[in-house]
């Protein structure tokens, strides 16, 4: 069966896996072509053990490559804890465990125990402290002093051992929005192992301005060698993790307003383990004429986005972008065998693309929305197909928040929930088909809607609830309440049920749908959020243990990152979310501009079906 035939059948809701017919109503089937699985990172069992009041809570990963019949045995200090293999969950409460216990987990396949996982020591509390090394304070050319705090973070396996490392951006206290003039301090990017070992520090130098829209750092295994690379925009004077200067370190292109509107711009791929610059090319999309992006002082020209997408369905590509208020340009690259090559360019200025101008967001998302096995880039109110051509544009304009996933499992495919800055008599708040851009339902607005959130928080209604502009709706657009949850920023899978919890500032809350109130589940005393009123964590991801997510916050003095994990027992068994294509790419883009929470390709919530088996192949284990 050729590609064209497969694609046509998928549009009818059908897919083939070998000789077996495989139907899906809802999200991404994960099985576009049995001969073309996605390359994804090898992960170990991710065992986490946490001291609780009645013993030790233990949880571990079910991998996306493991069958439904696999079961598990848990060992404490070499002694098996469970009486029979565990088949219905990937966590347990060991009431005999202590802080000095050591745990391993063994998969059981066809009645045979497999090798033991790496040993997990017991955390004394519900978070793991990762010590940080803060950069020294500084002073701008006009004599203003500044300090540093840990800001956005990402995760990747930099050394290929199946465990994640954390990559952290240091934000100076004088970082700026593009609309604000003034000098900023230097931006630094660090990499840390979870024991606090710093692997490297990259300094971006005086010719990269600090702020949410300037440095989008991508952490992903781009070449399939089992170790993640790091990619970001650099400039003259940037310094890699080995101390080597990129370009001409003597140059200073800052103007008297603190903007950098002249001089060369670069894109650099760094070795994730050492921080060494592997290859540097001219940054594309280039600056060109500043005023062609919508103003002449430097606001709109330096609005950057980035993401990772499987544009051929098998291997990841790097997508770097510039602009969204007016002109929008996206450029896709492949990093293979030490070489960075351009795959395609999408430019709203290109003939035939004028309807795509001004449709971008302060964020993006990535997923296979047309179910052909290859990813599309959802770039706000527009989408770019895997081949770099425009897929659709809604014309509803720029916005601040957007969510892509299987938000309504009663519909085939994925949906997008988005809010817009531009008032609309039709849909300033919109719920649309992710494949076609067709409006499913919308709410008229007369002002800028700056926040919008999607999560399954009410089990009375199937699908994800969405809220914005003072109202809470079902996935069908039915008004539930004019009382909103406490957070319109982030959601997190935290407790034992399938609903998602609310994450805001340094706390996690549970929505009580019966009383329209919230109950606090966790307040991370001594920790704090980032990015002002957006109040986002440094990172939220399924980093350890079972399928539920960890929240990573910085301590108030930025001396450490804290990885908080749940200790609530659940009998729900789902493979690690990091082996779901849409979710894993969401972790890669989470640090981009206005951070958004990740979503899965399948509906994860009350009334969900068994998730589809992801069609992936992992890089070799060490």
């Amino acid at each position: 069966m050729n590609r064209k035939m497969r694609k046509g059948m998928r549009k009818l809701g059908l897919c083939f896996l070998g000789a077996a017919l495989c139907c899906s109503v809802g999200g991404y089937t994960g099985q576009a072509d049995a001969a073309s699985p996605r390359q994804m990172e090898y992960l170990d069992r991710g065992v986490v053990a946490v001291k609780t009041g009645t013993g030790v809570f233990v949880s571990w990963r079910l991998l996306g490559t493991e069958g439904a019949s696999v079961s598990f045995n848990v060992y404490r200090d070499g002694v098996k804890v469970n009486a029979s293999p565990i088949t219905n969950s990937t966590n347990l409460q060991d009431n005999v465990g202590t802080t000095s216990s050591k745990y391993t987990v063994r998969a059981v396949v066809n009645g045979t125990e497999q090798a033991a996982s790496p040993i997990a020591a017991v955390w004394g509390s519900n978070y793991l402290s990762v010590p940080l090394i803060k950069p020294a304070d500084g002073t701008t050319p006009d004599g203003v002093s500044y300090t540093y705090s840990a800001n956005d973070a990402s995760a990747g396996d930099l050394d290929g051992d199946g465990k994640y490392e954390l990559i952290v951006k240091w934000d100076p206290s004088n970082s700026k929005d593009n609309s604000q003039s003034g000098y900023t301090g230097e931006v630094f990017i660090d990499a840390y192992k979870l024991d606090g070992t710093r692997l490297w520090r990259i300094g971006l130098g005086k010719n990269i301005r600090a702020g949410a829209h300037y440095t989008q750092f991508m952490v992903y295994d781009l070449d399939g060698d089992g170790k993640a690379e790091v990619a970001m925009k650099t400039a003259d004077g940037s310094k890699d993790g080995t101390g080597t200067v990129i370009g001409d370190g003597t140059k200073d292109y800052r103007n008297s307003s603190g903007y950098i509107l002249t001089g060369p711009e670069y894109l650099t791929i760094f070795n994730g383990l050492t921080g060494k610059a592997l290859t540097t090319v001219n940054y594309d999309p280039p600056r060109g004429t500043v005023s062609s992006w919508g103003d002449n002082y430097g606001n709109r020209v330096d609005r950057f986005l980035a993401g990772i997408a499987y544009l051929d369905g098998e291997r990841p590509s790097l997508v770097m972008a510039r602009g969204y208020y007016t002109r929008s340009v996206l450029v896709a690259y492949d990093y293979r065998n030490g070489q960075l090559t351009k795959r395609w360019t999408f430019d709203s200025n290109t003939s035939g693309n004028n309807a795509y101008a001004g449709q971008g967001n302060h964020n993006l998302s990535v997923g296979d929305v047309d179910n052909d096995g290859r990813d599309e880039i959802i770039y706000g109110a527009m989408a770019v197909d895997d081949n770099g051509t425009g897929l659709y544009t809604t014309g509803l304009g720029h916005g601040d928040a957007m969510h892509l996933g299987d938000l309504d499992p009663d519909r085939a495919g994925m949906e997008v929930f988005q809010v817009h800055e531009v008032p609309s008599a039709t849909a300033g708040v919109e719920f649309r088909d992710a494949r076609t851009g067709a409006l499913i339902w919308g709410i008229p607005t007369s002002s800028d809607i700056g926040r919008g959130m999607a999560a399954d928080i009410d089990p009375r209604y199937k699908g994800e609830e969405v809220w914005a502009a003072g109202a809470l709706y079902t996935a069908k657009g039915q008004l539930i309440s004019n009382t909103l949850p406490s957070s319109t920023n982030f959601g997190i899978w935290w407790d034992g049920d399938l609903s998602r919890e609310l994450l805001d500032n340094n706390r996690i809350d549970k929505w009580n749908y019966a009383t329209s109130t919230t109950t606090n589940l966790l307040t991370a005393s001594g920790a704090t959020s980032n990015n002002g009123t957006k109040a986002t964590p440094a990172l939220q991801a399924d980093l350890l243990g079972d399928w539920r997510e960890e929240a990573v916050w910085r301590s108030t003095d930025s001396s450490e990152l804290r990885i908080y994990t749940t200790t609530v027992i659940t009998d729900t068994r789902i493979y690690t979310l990091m082996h779901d294509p849409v979710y894993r790419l969401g972790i890669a883009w989470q640090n981009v501009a206005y951070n958004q929470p990740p979503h899965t390709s399948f509906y994860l919530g009350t009334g969900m079906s068994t998730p589809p088996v992801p069609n992936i192949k992992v890089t070799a284990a060490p």
Side-chain angles (χ1 to χ4, degrees):
M1 183 182 297
N2 62 31
R3 177 190 173 204
K4 184 175 180 181
M5 292 174 64
R6 284 194 184 96
K7 189 166 184 175
M9 295 191 75
R10 287 183 201 104
K11 291 184 183 295
L12 297 175
L14 301 176
C15 66
F16 279 91
L17 179 60
L21 181 64
C22 190
C23 299
S24 173
V25 175
Y28 172 83
T29 65
Q31 298 172 358
D33 187 338
S36 304
R38 291 184 175 221
Q39 164 200 302
M40 296 191 79
E41 62 207 339
Y42 160 77
L43 295 173
D44 70 11
R45 193 59 68 189
V47 181
V48 62
V50 183
K51 185 69 179 74
T52 63
T54 56
V56 174
F57 170 82
V58 185
S59 73
W60 58 93
R61 291 185 182 112
L62 174 68
L63 303 173
T65 52
E66 293 180 309
S69 62
V70 67
S71 57
F72 298 96
N73 288 328
V74 178
Y75 289 82
R76 178 202 338 108
D77 302 323
V79 177
K80 189 164 69 169
V81 172
N82 49 296
S84 58
I86 299 166
T87 60
N88 62 349
S89 73
T90 50
N91 62 87
L92 62 76
Q93 179 70 30
D94 177 20
N95 291 331
V96 182
T98 68
T99 54
S100 61
S101 299
K102 300 289 189 297
Y103 289 87
T104 58
V105 174
R106 290 175 176 264
V108 180
V109 179
N110 296 325
T112 301
E113 270 196 341
Q114 307 301 299
S117 69
I119 294 172
V122 176
W123 300 3
S125 66
N126 63 342
Y127 71 84
L128 176 68
S129 172
V130 181
L132 302 176
I133 302 173
K134 185 188 294 190
D137 300 347
T139 305
T140 60
D142 54 355
V144 177
S145 298
Y146 57 88
T147 60
Y148 282 93
S149 59
N151 191 253
D152 294 334
S154 192
D157 182 5
L158 304 181
D159 56 8
D161 65 353
K163 300 177 176 63
Y164 285 118
E165 280 73 48
L166 295 178
I167 299 83
V168 188
K169 181 176 79 168
W170 287 100
D171 209 30
S173 55
N174 59 357
S175 66
K176 304 290 185 185
D177 183 82
N178 300 53
S179 62
Q180 302 169 336
S181 62
Y183 293 102
T184 72
E186 183 176 2
V187 176
F188 295 98
I189 306 288
D190 286 1
Y192 294 88
K193 296 183 74 68
L194 297 191
D195 64 4
T197 300
R198 191 180 76 179
L199 297 175
W200 45 258
R201 169 167 291 167
I202 293 169
L204 292 182
K206 63 187 68 172
N207 294 312
I208 296 287
R209 206 164 184 246
H213 304 289
Y214 293 101
T215 296
Q216 323 300 342
F217 56 103
M218 293 292 101
V219 182
Y220 213 83
D221 180 8
L222 295 170
D223 60 2
D225 67 351
K227 300 177 183 179
E229 287 76 39
V230 180
M232 70 190 90
K233 184 175 180 284
T234 56
D236 279 346
S238 295
K239 188 180 293 186
D240 77 5
T242 69
T244 301
V245 174
I246 295 169
D248 187 343
T250 69
K251 298 296 186 181
D252 185 346
Y253 298 105
R254 295 173 293 183
N255 66 24
S256 59
S257 297
Y259 290 101
I260 300 145
L261 304 180
T262 60
E265 303 174 288
Y266 308 125
L267 171 62
T268 302
I269 307 293
F270 298 91
N271 182 294
L273 183 57
T274 66
K276 177 180 174 60
L278 296 173
T279 185
T280 296
V281 299
N282 289 329
Y283 187 84
D284 195 355
R287 181 190 297 120
T289 303
V290 170
S291 59
S292 70
W293 299 89
D295 61 60
N296 61 10
Y297 72 94
N299 180 3
R300 298 184 176 188
V301 66
D302 278 356
R303 299 283 182 156
F304 300 102
L305 299 177
I308 304 294
Y310 287 73
L311 300 174
D312 66 359
E314 298 179 49
R315 303 182 71 181
S317 298
L318 173 67
V319 179
M320 305 301 289
R322 186 176 213 137
Y324 38 75
Y325 286 119
T326 49
R327 183 185 180 192
S328 294
V329 185
L330 294 78
V331 179
Y333 297 87
D334 293 336
Y335 181 66
R336 312 278 189 259
N337 302 313
Q339 300 295 315
L340 190 64
T341 58
K342 194 181 302 181
R343 176 178 280 266
W344 51 251
T345 297
F346 174 89
D347 189 341
S348 63
N349 275 5
T350 299
S351 177
N353 288 345
N354 61 302
Y356 290 81
Q359 302 303 311
N361 257 37
H362 287 297
N363 37 69
L364 51 69
S365 191
V366 180
D368 176 16
V369 300
D370 59 7
N371 206 23
D372 65 356
R374 292 170 296 279
D375 286 332
E376 285 69 48
I377 296 92
I378 309 301
Y379 200 79
M382 54 175 271
V384 177
D385 208 349
D386 56 81
N387 62 3
T389 62
L391 184 65
Y392 66 78
T393 175
T394 69
L396 290 171
H398 167 71
D400 285 4
M402 180 180 69
H403 303 268
L404 167 72
D406 190 10
L407 309 183
D408 182 356
D410 289 337
R411 296 186 72 259
M414 290 187 281
E415 295 78 34
V416 173
F417 175 66
Q418 182 178 350
V419 298
H420 298 272
E421 283 191 8
V422 183
S424 170
T426 304
V429 174
E430 63 150 333
F431 196 92
R432 73 176 187 257
D433 185 291
R435 180 178 66 86
T436 65
L439 182 67
I440 299 170
W441 58 267
I443 304 298
T445 58
S446 58
S447 61
D448 174 0
I449 307 300
R451 296 285 196 280
M453 181 60 195
D456 178 35
I457 59 172
D458 191 332
R460 296 174 299 180
Y461 308 97
K462 191 174 181 181
E464 295 198 13
E465 286 67 52
V466 297
W467 57 101
L472 173 67
Y473 301 91
T474 70
K476 302 289 193 298
Q478 175 187 345
L479 176 66
I480 298 175
S481 174
N482 291 116
T483 300
L484 293 189
S486 59
S487 171
T488 315
N489 286 332
F490 262 58
I492 185 170
W493 286 292
W494 183 262
D495 67 7
D497 62 29
L498 287 170
S499 295
R500 213 169 190 187
E501 284 63 60
L502 308 170
L503 187 153
D504 194 25
N505 291 299
N506 66 338
R507 69 178 191 271
I508 295 172
D509 296 326
K510 183 77 171 178
W511 177 246
N512 185 326
Y513 58 89
T515 61
S516 295
T517 59
T518 55
T519 301
N520 182 249
L521 302 182
L522 171 73
T523 297
S525 178
T528 191
S529 59
N530 293 326
N531 304 317
T533 60
K534 295 171 183 60
T536 56
L539 177 66
Q540 173 190 313
D542 179 15
L543 297 174
L544 297 162
D546 61 32
W547 57 273
R548 290 168 297 176
E549 298 172 288
E550 281 66 49
V552 183
W553 285 290
R554 62 180 172 95
S555 61
T556 52
D557 63 358
S558 287
S559 64
E560 61 181 349
L561 287 178
R562 297 179 178 181
I563 304 174
Y564 285 82
T565 193
T566 186
T567 57
V568 180
I569 289 291
T570 181
D571 59 3
T572 297
R573 175 175 140 147
I574 301 174
Y575 59 80
T576 175
L577 302 188
M578 298 298 259
H579 275 168
D580 175 68
V582 169
Y583 184 91
R584 182 63 186 92
L585 297 179
I587 302 309
W589 57 242
Q590 190 182 141
N591 70 76
V592 170
Y594 289 177
N595 308 41
Q596 297 288 286
H599 292 269
T600 51
S601 64
F602 56 88
Y603 170 61
L604 202 171
T606 302
M608 69 181 289
S609 302
T610 301
V613 176
N615 185 27
I616 62 174
K617 61 179 180 182
V618 299
T619 52

